[in-house]
Amino acid sequence: MTTANPGMDADVFEQFHEQLKRYVRERLIPAEAQVIAEDKIPDDILAEMREMGLFGLTMPVEYGGAGMNITQYVETIHTLSYALPAYRSITSINLGMVCSAIKLNGTEEQKSEWLPRLAAGEIASFGLTEPGSGSDSAGLQTTAVRSGNGYVLNGTKRYITNSPFAKVALIMARTNKESLPKNAHVSAFIVPMDTPGITVGKSDKKMGQGGSHIADIIMEDVYVPGEALLGGEEGKGFAVAMQSLDNGRLSVGAAATAYAKRALDTAVRYANERKAFGEPIANFQLIQAMLADSQAEIYAAQCMMRDAIAKADAGQKVLMEAASFKMFASEMCGRVTDRCVQIHGGAGYLAEYEAERFFRDSRIYRIYEGTTQIMQLVIAKQMLRNFAAGVEG
């Protein structure tokens, strides 16, 4: 068990949280149409987000961050994610994955160099997925071959969030040709994106999540010095990735839960405004059943979230809780956004209304940071390990 993180002062966090709620509703939501039309977050909003410290929430105070604990961080992501997913996407890789990896595994020199830059808003990417491997790290093909005091990286990373405008990427690569026990053939490298030999592919066109970008990172004979090896030790990359993914899964679960609430609020509003047979459709019991089911599922996800983050801040391992929450919340969000379309009827299929966008945006939550099927495997394997060890619960 690790030492619990007290996080930001409770009163200061509450003030920040209230400010963020207003910012989401008064600034970010009104700008959504522009973000979607231009497929990018406007520079002035990005500057505001940096000024608010949204890129440095989880960075330690001594490195220029806010020093939030996991509970405060996930609650912040939950609040931010009521708005368009692109706003969370631009910050989340910094906060939940790259920061976590460097903070927990980096050398003092790596922390001093990179955490202040990430906190100030330099955008990061997390390079694990490849054309031939996602959750299967044994199939990872990117190589890092020793060359003098450094390494030469070759390979392609796929579907990498924020890569078109990232300043740095945390790249997972093979430092051993053979697949070793506990994936000890995988190491992690901190790679500036302007390093010679790196090419970023064209942004992929996606089903939803306008304003958020993913693309390939292609590495051809990319030389990095030995100091780029995270923690200065080979073979720790898989453990770093899995450790970071717990935070990523909590973030995705929080985002899915908040976006489901946004869809439900929109459905309730529409059901009260739309009339049929001379009265609002909200008066019809089958509409009420869809609203009630959605509310109950959102409440369940919120309870799961708060249980998981409380355990994480108490220093407990939350691999199973994070996977369970991510799985349930992402599937739940899909059901709620589907009901939102159904409540809108024909209007729900039109781009003029938000319902169809919620439906498209939410689909990815069941895929990234581990598909629902991978979450099932993670949960079941942990259950079996617990049984073998005589651990209950």
Side-chain angles (χ1 to χ4, degrees), residues 234-253:
E234 292 184 5
K236 301 297 184 182
F238 181 77
V240 167
M242 294 304 101
Q243 190 178 52
S244 297
L245 283 173
D246 280 349
N247 280 338
R249 288 164 183 167
L250 292 172
S251 175
V252 172

Side-chain angles (χ1 to χ4, degrees), residues 246-303:
D246 280 349
N247 280 338
R249 288 164 183 167
L250 292 172
S251 175
V252 172
T257 303
Y259 213 51
K261 184 64 166 67
R262 172 79 180 278
L264 179 58
D265 288 348
T266 300
V268 170
R269 187 181 310 111
Y270 184 82
N272 277 281
E273 294 170 353
R274 175 75 166 91
K275 291 187 177 181
F277 308 102
E279 59 181 314
I281 63 171
N283 292 348
F284 302 151
Q285 288 182 335
L286 292 179
I287 297 292
Q288 291 174 0
M290 286 191 281
L291 297 176
D293 285 349
S294 298
Q295 175 60 33
E297 290 194 87
I298 291 169
Y299 177 57
Q302 290 170 337
C303 291

Side-chain angles (χ1 to χ4, degrees), residues 2 11 13 35 84 167 210 221 227 237 316 337 359 372 375 388:
T2 59
D11 290 337
F13 175 73
V35 174
L84 194 71
K167 297 294 185 183
D221 295 330
E227 299 80 58
Q316 298 180 35
T337 55
F359 184 82
T372 292
M375 294 302 95

Side-chain angles (χ1 to χ4, degrees), residues 61-75:
V61 174
E62 60 267 31
Y63 297 111
M68 286 186 181
N69 59 26
I70 294 172
T71 295
Q72 293 167 338
Y73 158 61
V74 173
E75 291 283 5

Side-chain angles (χ1 to χ4, degrees), residues 276-340:
F277 308 102
E279 59 181 314
I281 63 171
N283 292 348
F284 302 151
Q285 288 182 335
L286 292 179
I287 297 292
Q288 291 174 0
M290 286 191 281
L291 297 176
D293 285 349
S294 298
Q295 175 60 33
E297 290 194 87
I298 291 169
Y299 177 57
Q302 290 170 337
C303 291
M304 291 178 74
M305 178 180 82
R306 285 168 184 142
D307 176 70
I309 59 183
K311 287 179 178 177
D313 270 329
Q316 298 180 35
K317 292 183 178 180
V318 293
L319 182 145
M320 187 160 64
E321 287 84 351
S324 298
F325 170 48
K326 193 271 182 185
M327 180 181 75
F328 178 82
S330 60
E331 292 287 340
M332 174 276 294
C333 186
R335 292 190 292 271
V336 171
T337 55
D338 185 69
R339 292 182 196 123
C340 181

Side-chain angles (χ1 to χ4, degrees), residues 6-195:
M8 181 187 285
D9 177 83
D11 290 337
V12 174
F13 175 73
E14 185 59 32
Q15 292 172 9
F16 165 81
H17 201 203
E18 289 302 316
Q19 178 191 9
L20 181 63
K21 289 177 183 177
R22 292 193 301 271
Y23 184 69
V24 166
R25 284 162 174 76
E26 296 172 9
R27 179 68 166 132
L28 297 186
I29 289 176
E32 288 178 347
Q34 180 185 354
V35 174
I36 293 168
E38 298 177 357
D39 198 22
K40 62 170 291 190
I41 299 173
D43 290 341
D44 57 341
I45 289 182
L46 276 177
E48 292 165 4
M49 293 172 72
R50 289 186 173 103
E51 181 67 24
M52 289 179 69
L54 292 179
F55 287 86
L57 302 175
T58 54
M59 316 295 172
V61 174
E62 60 267 31
Y63 297 111
M68 286 186 181
N69 59 26
I70 294 172
T71 295
Q72 293 167 338
Y73 158 61
V74 173
E75 291 283 5
T76 298
I77 290 296
H78 182 261
T79 297
L80 183 64
S81 300
Y82 189 82
L84 194 71
Y87 299 124
R88 182 200 76 97
S89 183
I90 198 70
T91 63
S92 64
I93 306 300
N94 278 41
L95 298 171
M97 301 181 79
V98 177
C99 168
S100 173
I102 296 175
K103 182 172 64 175
L104 296 176
N105 302 280
T107 64
E108 285 306 316
E109 291 76 14
Q110 289 168 340
K111 294 176 188 178
S112 297
E113 178 177 0
W114 290 106
L115 292 180
R117 294 170 65 172
L118 295 173
E122 286 194 15
I123 295 168
S125 285
F126 188 82
L128 176 61
T129 301
E130 297 184 356
S133 68
S135 302
D136 175 21
S137 65
L140 186 143
Q141 295 299 310
T142 295
T143 58
V145 178
R146 280 187 174 274
S147 177
N149 293 325
Y151 296 82
V152 175
L153 276 60
N154 281 282
T156 297
K157 297 297 180 178
R158 178 144 294 173
Y159 310 137
I160 305 303
T161 300
N162 294 338
S163 57
F165 28 75
K167 297 294 185 183
V168 63
L170 190 65
I171 299 292
M172 305 298 153
R174 301 180 76 101
T175 43
N176 192 301
K177 292 181 180 179
E178 304 299 322
S179 293
L180 302 177
K182 297 185 178 180
N183 295 286
H185 55 283
V186 181
S187 301
F189 295 85
I190 305 172
V191 184
M193 292 294 284
D194 59 0
T195 304

